[in-house]
Amino acid sequence: MAAQEAAVRAQAEAVRRLKQDKADPDEIAKEVAKLLEMKAQLGGDEGKPKFVLKTPKGTRDYGPKQMAIRERVFSAIISCFKRHGAEVIDTPVFELKETLTGKYGEDSKLIYDLKDQGGELLSLRYDLTVPFARYLAMNKITNIKRYHIAKVYRRDNPAMTRGRYREFYQCDFDIAGQFDPMIPDAECLKIVHEILSDLQLGDFVIKVNDRRILDGMFAVCGVPDSKFRTICSSVDKLDKVPWEEVRSEMVGEKGLSPEAADRIGEYVQLHGGLDLIERLLQDPKLSQNKLAKEGLGDMKLLFEYLTLFGITGKISFDLSLARGLDYYTGVIFEAVLLQQENEHVEELVGVGSVAGGGRYDGLVGMFDPKGRKVPCVGVSIGIERIFSILEQRLEASEEKIRTTETQVLVASAQKKLLEERLKLISELWDAGIKAEMLYKKNPKLLNQLQYCEDTGIPLVAIVGEQELKDGVVKLRIVATREEVNIRRESLVEEIRTRTSQP
Amino acid sequence: MAAQEAAVRAQAEAVRRLKQDKADPDEIAKEVAKLLEMKAQLGGDEGKPKFVLKTPKGTRDYGPKQMAIRERVFSAIISCFKRHGAEVIDTPVFELKETLTGKYGEDSKLIYDLKDQGGELLSLRYDLTVPFARYLAMNKITNIKRYHIAKVYRRDNPAMTRGRYREFYQCDFDIAGQFDPMIPDAECLKIVHEILSDLQLGDFVIKVNDRRILDGMFAVCGVPDSKFRTICSSVDKLDKVPWEEVRSEMVGEKGLSPEAADRIGEYVQLHGGLDLIERLLQDPKLSQNKLAKEGLGDMKLLFEYLTLFGITGKISFDLSLARGLDYYTGVIFEAVLLQQENEHVEELVGVGSVAGGGRYDGLVGMFDPKGRKVPCVGVSIGIERIFSILEQRLEASEEKIRTTETQVLVASAQKKLLEERLKLISELWDAGIKAEMLYKKNPKLLNQLQYCEDTGIPLVAIVGEQELKDGVVKLRIVATREEVNIRRESLVEEIRTRTSQP
């Protein structure tokens, strides 16, 4: 090693001299490369090259504590989806590149492509909706209610403290099929309402709008047909930037007339409930537009159904809601957390959209060779933000979260009992008991008890020479330090009783 | 449309003429591209381009039925991992490319890279072991028992009918930490035994070997040090091709002397239990080799522990087991299904490896800046093959698998009761009952009952005008066609009782 280090020093000196002499840059570069390689080989203790030890930008690991929170959230969401009778499907993490092409409008630039290593051109999925539509068309399914929980990928600018990642989970519930108007749409909103209430994230509002109302509004405001989608993208920014900025984007970048922009400005300030829908149905301009009229009529029906569900209190018909994605054709919605109602947390978690969705009646037809349409409506729950909130709340609280479900630690009080511990733990495993032991030949009893304290294991089954002779096991209750001798043949039952949930 | 088609025909004619005239190839190419674009625009019925409607090569969708089977398998595996006290983690689907570099030997060519779209160079994970080691080093964790269930990616030649995919699940359980020899290793084998027994896949054998025994064997057979890994790769093929072929690869492609190869040939035919271990410990050549002696000593200890677990009946110490991956340093093992014990299935499912693993004491150190080692041993269950077997078995059987958990269908016998159905189903959802209704304003009762038959919903809650007046709901038991009137306030309890698992 010393010889190698000396060689590195000599090489470094050679580089220094070449630089001093203002030698040919190529030659310097060559010698520097040689130096770096020598250093890399020398590297750490065992001569290994240096790594950047990190996860890719915009991604994170989930440790056991985070996973415990994540599984709570998933469990609430899956319960709700199952309560509504959904089946579950899964699709590959990547799709043929062309499957994703032309579905996401301005967001397409955020799609991750795979390297062309020969064979098909592939991209990571950007959401679960387009793969779902591809699945329906490919299998000629015209009628399904399914959920799908999986990771999606967007080369976005990550803001991880606020729960915005490049790899993140979406929990999607969709209803596909030709049905009577607004019944499935209302159920999607009911689902969002149930999940957000269940998770106790604080106050929320679900904004609702309709692409047909937006398009009708654009038409009566004098937006040319060809600019509908791009103006819609501008409106979509209203939840993040003030109207003035959006207006100047419309007029400046997108070439809309100032008059049209101002007319839009009046509409997008409106939000309310059934009363607003009624008012707009009387609006002299909007009521003349076929699309807007259809959209408003359905919106009225939707609100009637939501009234029957008893959830209109948290629903706001909001003309500024646009949603970025190209494929929506009818109702659109987005759930927003209103504030952080948690007194424990000092630092406010960024508040934002935690669920969104809408109707996309044309997407499946884009995949069908004959263009056959399958009307769809669905909702996507974004768990990363929800997760950020719950994680910070848990950290601030006193609650100690268990990351295993172990019921009993198999321990020994004396030495030379490894074989006996192995025999007992094997019996317990075979009986379905969740059991651990320390992987040491002769662990100290204190260390074994400490392990239970640290990990929350409630019981210790202690084998000792006397107990073996007597055919019993000493069962210790960690919380009370109580110890009882249990006959070996009754041990499984005793552990079950003592650890069954009340 | 007719005009467009005429334009396409004219363009095709233009291309034909250019070709006939042997025009400049660039010009022909340009005109052909124009033709293709015009054709694409013409496309299907509604002028959409033609798609290849498929999932990427080597991948598949999971429909609701497949998911139901998959969740059964996961549930058995997760129960076992939890029974052994494991925590759970998750890592991103991609890693920095350099994280995967130099870990997989000859298999590295199968890694999927992401396209360089600016920023970091990324690859899809190839297994869960290397990300786990990276996670440990990055978080300076020296002691953990965790499981991780996630998809991994290999650009392999897929054989999907036999359960070999390019995207597939791995279910990994690993124990990291400095412990007394062979205790965690024995637990990994116990876990494989429990899971394969639980899933009732038929007879199986778990082959066990040790990299140190292999390396010792190579040394005493006269294999040069530099050829250990590549000769190990050849031995690894013995489960698929006969010895003669492996021998000729060793001698021909890899330049091993025929004598050395023949000596290896004698060893790799050996398999057995404690008796074979004892015999090899007396082998005049092997017993002189330090590595082999260490490996054999630990193998003996392992078999003692496995005897205490009562599972040696399914364990075979097999000198031909090599495992492809570079990172193993000690015990290695692989579980193989012996035959298809299912009389219902006509076509035999390919039988093969369904679990594998081993000890990798050096991998974490490759990531640690100071090369600090964290000894690890783990097992990976490959569910795709297991899944193939169960799927074919289920298809051949009479069993009807439910894909939802819906307890009750909210139905009506007369028209104009949509509002009442919506009100009732909302009450049921809010009480936690899994309920569905048809998304039609006025569905026929027969269609509603048929839906229950098709999907296995056991109960129907029927609202009708008379029932509304009387404050009751008619509850129909689908299996028996029995109908009872239940007071509305008792309905939830009644549904719970009637659908609770016995």
Side-chain angles (χ1 to χ4, degrees):
Chain A
M1 200 60 132
Q4 280 180 28
E5 276 166 11
V8 168
R9 272 196 301 274
Q11 178 68 19
E13 182 51 31
V15 169
R16 203 153 33 234
R17 244 176 298 123
L18 282 169
K19 282 185 180 166
Q20 230 169 26
D21 300 350
K22 299 205 179 355
D24 175 18
D26 279 352
E27 196 184 343
I28 298 183
K30 220 174 79 189
E31 295 300 315
V32 167
K34 210 162 134 192
L35 173 63
L36 288 176
E37 198 188 332
M38 286 167 87
K39 274 194 178 166
Q41 275 167 15
L42 200 57
D45 288 359
E46 291 181 55
K48 49 184 55 63
K50 300 259 186 230
F51 274 108
V52 189
L53 204 55
K54 68 186 283 292
T55 61
K57 183 177 176 186
T59 69
R60 61 176 289 187
D61 293 319
Y62 280 76
K65 277 214 174 118
Q66 284 105 38
M67 285 299 282
I69 305 170
R70 198 170 98 177
E71 299 210 328
R72 277 188 201 177
V73 178
F74 279 154
S75 151
I77 292 172
I78 293 172
S79 293
C80 177
F81 290 166
K82 286 189 173 172
R83 194 158 59 236
H84 287 260
E87 304 182 278
V88 57
I89 71 159
D90 192 21
T91 65
V93 82
F94 42 60
E95 295 277 346
L96 298 185
K97 188 175 162 60
E98 61 173 2
T99 299
L100 306 190
T101 304
K103 312 295 186 306
Y104 300 108
E106 294 181 5
D107 290 342
S108 298
K109 61 182 184 297
L110 303 181
I111 293 173
Y112 277 98
D113 292 329
L114 268 74
K115 190 169 152 186
D116 182 3
Q117 294 171 290
E120 301 160 334
L121 291 180
L122 307 175
S123 301
L124 296 186
R125 61 183 163 211
Y126 182 84
D127 65 6
L128 302 178
T129 309
V130 169
F132 175 54
R134 192 265 308 144
Y135 170 80
L136 294 184
M138 194 172 130
N139 297 286
K140 301 194 170 51
I141 296 167
T142 55
N143 194 327
I144 193 174
K145 176 164 56 180
R146 79 88 183 82
Y147 72 91
H148 187 188
I149 296 185
K151 288 174 174 175
V152 302
Y153 298 88
R154 301 186 182 177
R155 297 181 57 254
D156 215 335
N157 221 2
M160 310 210 295
T161 49
R162 292 192 293 128
R164 197 162 78 217
Y165 290 86
R166 290 184 157 196
E167 171 185 63
F168 58 98
Y169 267 98
Q170 285 197 333
C171 308
D172 279 27
F173 171 100
D174 294 78
I175 300 172
Q178 185 68 59
F179 300 117
D180 281 325
M182 308 318 280
I183 311 178
D185 313 60
E187 184 169 2
C188 288
L189 292 168
K190 175 83 171 87
I191 282 174
V192 177
H193 193 277
E194 283 179 24
I195 290 173
L196 295 183
S197 306
D198 240 33
L199 289 172
Q200 300 180 288
L201 298 165
D203 206 9
F204 62 89
V205 65
I206 309 174
K207 299 180 191 172
V208 185
N209 198 0
D210 192 299
R211 274 282 165 89
R212 292 165 299 173
I213 300 176
L214 276 169
D215 285 353
M217 175 183 94
F218 293 147
V220 304
C221 290
V223 179
D225 283 17
S226 62
K227 289 204 161 83
F228 276 15
R229 282 286 77 77
T230 184
I231 293 302
C232 193
S233 286
S234 299
V235 170
D236 186 46
K237 294 174 186 160
L238 274 174
D239 58 339
K240 292 185 198 89
V241 301
W243 165 249
E244 277 315 310
E245 252 175 73
V246 170
R247 183 187 181 280
S248 86
E249 178 181 297
M250 286 176 176
V251 176
E253 283 172 47
K254 304 197 166 168
L256 191 66
S257 75
E259 298 74 29
D262 290 337
R263 272 178 234 127
I264 294 173
E266 279 171 39
Y267 281 116
V268 295
Q269 285 171 40
L270 303 173
H271 54 92
L274 258 177
D275 52 333
L276 176 60
I277 301 169
E278 299 285 6
R279 219 173 77 212
L280 290 177
L281 275 169
Q282 308 303 323
D283 182 282
K285 279 179 293 176
L286 269 188
S287 60
Q288 296 310 305
N289 180 285
K290 188 171 164 285
L291 271 178
K293 216 176 140 191
E294 259 180 48
L296 286 165
D298 277 349
M299 189 60 71
K300 192 175 161 192
L301 195 57
L302 178 68
F303 266 77
E304 284 165 15
Y305 295 159
L306 298 179
T307 307
L308 292 167
F309 288 161
I311 60 171
T312 44
K314 302 234 185 268
I315 312 272
S316 167
F317 169 44
D318 188 325
L319 282 165
S320 74
L321 178 72
R323 306 272 303 150
L325 300 173
D326 258 16
Y327 50 63
Y328 291 117
T329 55
V331 164
I332 48 177
F333 53 87
E334 201 165 286
V336 183
L337 297 184
L338 284 183
Q339 56 177 64
Q340 195 52 23
E341 53 107 62
N342 178 10
E343 65 275 23
H344 298 299
V345 176
E346 296 288 322
E347 194 184 345
L348 264 185
V349 185
V351 163
S353 160
V354 289
R359 179 163 282 284
Y360 48 101
D361 288 347
L363 193 55
V364 178
M366 286 175 81
F367 289 109
D368 189 278
K370 296 201 173 158
R372 278 170 298 214
K373 286 188 177 175
V374 178
C376 295
V377 63
V379 50
S380 181
I381 315 283
I383 70 137
E384 313 301 330
R385 275 186 188 164
I386 293 174
F387 175 79
S388 283
I389 293 167
L390 293 180
E391 192 182 18
Q392 294 193 30
R393 194 183 286 182
L394 195 81
E395 256 170 43
S397 82
E398 308 285 282
E399 193 191 346
K400 213 177 162 185
I401 197 164
R402 275 199 76 181
T403 55
T404 70
E405 297 174 10
T406 309
Q407 295 164 289
V408 62
L409 185 81
V410 174
S412 56
Q414 298 115 341
K415 291 193 172 183
K416 296 201 181 164
L417 287 168
L418 173 61
E419 280 76 10
E420 291 300 335
R421 282 191 291 140
L422 287 171
K423 246 159 73 177
L424 179 58
I425 201 169
S426 180
E427 283 173 34
L428 294 177
W429 285 333
D430 291 344
I433 299 291
K434 292 167 191 148
E436 286 186 71
M437 57 178 269
L438 297 198
Y439 301 121
K440 281 187 159 285
K441 269 165 101 162
N442 298 308
K444 288 184 184 141
L445 187 60
L446 205 66
N447 290 345
Q448 296 175 86
L449 297 179
Q450 188 58 48
Y451 183 78
C452 293
E453 298 278 358
D454 293 346
T455 59
I457 299 176
L459 300 173
V460 194
I462 304 172
V463 288
E465 273 162 32
Q466 190 57 47
E467 286 85 359
L468 284 169
K469 268 187 215 140
D470 298 346
V472 298
V473 172
K474 189 178 279 171
L475 195 65
R476 181 185 168 109
I477 293 86
V478 177
T480 62
R481 301 184 183 186
E482 179 196 353
E483 292 187 346
V484 278
N485 279 341
I486 308 287
R487 294 216 54 78
R488 183 120 174 182
E489 58 272 24
S490 316
L491 182 63
V492 167
E493 203 40 51
E494 185 72 25
I495 294 171
R496 271 197 204 124
T497 313
R498 287 188 179 264
T499 54
S500 69
Q501 301 298 334
Chain B
M1 198 60 129
Q4 280 181 26
E5 275 167 13
V8 168
R9 271 196 301 274
Q11 178 67 17
E13 181 53 31
V15 169
R16 206 155 29 237
R17 243 177 298 122
L18 282 169
K19 282 188 180 166
Q20 231 169 26
D21 300 350
K22 297 203 182 351
D24 176 18
D26 279 352
E27 197 185 341
I28 298 183
K30 222 175 76 189
E31 295 301 315
V32 167
K34 210 160 131 191
L35 172 62
L36 288 176
E37 199 188 331
M38 287 167 84
K39 275 192 176 168
Q41 276 169 12
L42 199 56
D45 288 357
E46 291 183 53
K48 49 181 60 58
K50 298 262 186 230
F51 274 107
V52 188
L53 203 56
K54 68 187 284 293
T55 61
K57 184 178 176 185
T59 68
R60 59 176 290 185
D61 294 320
Y62 280 75
K65 277 215 173 115
Q66 285 104 37
M67 286 299 283
I69 305 172
R70 199 171 96 178
E71 300 209 327
R72 277 189 201 178
V73 177
F74 279 154
S75 150
I77 293 172
I78 292 171
S79 294
C80 177
F81 291 165
K82 288 191 171 171
R83 194 158 58 235
H84 288 260
E87 305 182 278
V88 57
I89 71 159
D90 192 23
T91 65
V93 81
F94 41 59
E95 294 278 345
L96 298 185
K97 186 175 164 61
E98 61 173 2
T99 299
L100 306 191
T101 304
K103 309 298 186 305
Y104 300 108
E106 294 182 3
D107 290 342
S108 298
K109 61 181 185 295
L110 303 181
I111 293 173
Y112 277 97
D113 292 329
L114 268 74
K115 190 169 152 185
D116 182 1
Q117 294 170 289
E120 301 160 334
L121 290 180
L122 307 174
S123 302
L124 297 186
R125 62 183 162 212
Y126 181 85
D127 64 8
L128 303 178
T129 309
V130 168
F132 175 54
R134 192 265 308 144
Y135 171 79
L136 294 184
M138 195 173 129
N139 297 288
K140 299 193 173 50
I141 295 167
T142 55
N143 195 324
I144 192 175
K145 176 163 57 181
R146 78 90 183 81
Y147 72 91
H148 186 188
I149 296 185
K151 288 174 175 177
V152 302
Y153 299 87
R154 301 186 182 177
R155 297 181 56 253
D156 215 337
N157 221 0
M160 310 209 294
T161 49
R162 292 192 292 129
R164 197 162 79 218
Y165 290 86
R166 289 183 158 196
E167 171 184 64
F168 58 98
Y169 266 99
Q170 285 197 332
C171 309
D172 279 26
F173 171 99
D174 293 78
I175 301 171
Q178 186 69 58
F179 300 118
D180 281 324
M182 309 317 282
I183 311 179
D185 314 59
E187 185 169 0
C188 288
L189 291 169
K190 176 81 170 88
I191 282 175
V192 176
H193 193 278
E194 283 178 23
I195 290 173
L196 295 184
S197 305
D198 241 33
L199 289 173
Q200 300 181 288
L201 298 165
D203 206 8
F204 61 89
V205 66
I206 309 175
K207 298 180 191 173
V208 185
N209 198 3
D210 192 299
R211 274 283 165 89
R212 291 167 298 172
I213 300 176
L214 277 170
D215 285 354
M217 175 182 94
F218 293 147
V220 303
C221 291
V223 179
D225 283 19
S226 62
K227 289 205 161 84
F228 276 17
R229 281 286 78 77
T230 183
I231 293 301
C232 194
S233 286
S234 299
V235 170
D236 187 46
K237 294 174 185 160
L238 274 175
D239 58 338
K240 292 187 197 86
V241 300
W243 165 248
E244 277 315 310
E245 250 176 74
V246 170
R247 184 185 180 281
S248 83
E249 180 181 298
M250 287 178 174
V251 177
E253 282 173 47
K254 303 195 167 168
L256 191 66
S257 75
E259 298 73 30
D262 290 335
R263 272 178 235 126
I264 294 174
E266 278 171 39
Y267 281 116
V268 295
Q269 285 171 40
L270 303 174
H271 53 93
L274 259 177
D275 51 334
L276 177 61
I277 302 169
E278 298 286 5
R279 220 172 77 210
L280 290 177
L281 276 168
Q282 308 304 323
D283 182 283
K285 281 178 291 177
L286 271 187
S287 60
Q288 296 308 307
N289 180 283
K290 189 172 163 286
L291 272 177
K293 215 176 141 190
E294 258 181 51
L296 286 165
D298 277 349
M299 189 60 71
K300 193 177 159 189
L301 195 57
L302 178 67
F303 267 77
E304 284 166 16
Y305 295 159
L306 298 180
T307 307
L308 292 167
F309 287 162
I311 60 170
T312 43
K314 300 234 186 270
I315 312 273
S316 167
F317 169 44
D318 189 326
L319 283 164
S320 75
L321 179 73
R323 306 275 301 152
L325 300 173
D326 259 17
Y327 48 64
Y328 291 116
T329 55
V331 163
I332 47 177
F333 52 88
E334 201 164 286
V336 183
L337 297 184
L338 284 183
Q339 56 176 62
Q340 194 52 23
E341 55 106 62
N342 179 8
E343 65 276 20
H344 298 300
V345 176
E346 296 287 324
E347 196 183 342
L348 265 185
V349 184
V351 163
S353 159
V354 290
R359 179 162 282 286
Y360 49 101
D361 287 348
L363 192 56
V364 179
M366 288 175 79
F367 290 108
D368 189 277
K370 298 202 173 157
R372 277 170 299 213
K373 287 188 176 176
V374 178
C376 293
V377 63
V379 49
S380 182
I381 315 283
I383 69 136
E384 313 302 331
R385 273 185 190 164
I386 294 174
F387 174 78
S388 284
I389 293 167
L390 293 180
E391 192 181 18
Q392 295 195 27
R393 196 184 283 181
L394 195 82
E395 256 170 43
S397 81
E398 310 284 280
E399 194 191 347
K400 214 176 162 186
I401 197 165
R402 275 198 77 180
T403 54
T404 71
E405 298 174 9
T406 309
Q407 297 165 289
V408 62
L409 185 82
V410 174
S412 56
Q414 297 116 341
K415 290 194 173 183
K416 296 199 180 165
L417 287 168
L418 173 61
E419 281 76 8
E420 291 300 334
R421 282 190 292 141
L422 287 171
K423 247 161 71 180
L424 178 58
I425 200 167
S426 180
E427 284 173 33
L428 295 177
W429 285 332
D430 292 343
I433 299 291
K434 294 167 190 145
E436 286 184 71
M437 57 178 269
L438 298 198
Y439 301 121
K440 282 187 159 284
K441 272 166 101 162
N442 297 309
K444 289 184 183 138
L445 186 60
L446 204 65
N447 291 345
Q448 297 176 85
L449 298 180
Q450 187 59 47
Y451 184 77
C452 294
E453 297 279 359
D454 294 345
T455 59
I457 300 175
L459 299 173
V460 194
I462 305 171
V463 288
E465 274 163 33
Q466 190 55 48
E467 286 85 359
L468 285 168
K469 268 186 215 144
D470 299 347
V472 298
V473 172
K474 188 178 280 171
L475 195 65
R476 181 184 169 109
I477 293 86
V478 177
T480 61
R481 302 183 179 185
E482 180 195 352
E483 293 187 346
V484 277
N485 279 341
I486 309 286
R487 293 215 56 78
R488 185 123 174 178
E489 57 272 26
S490 316
L491 182 63
V492 166
E493 202 41 50
E494 184 72 24
I495 293 172
R496 271 197 205 124
T497 312
R498 287 187 180 264
T499 54
S500 68
Q501 300 298 333

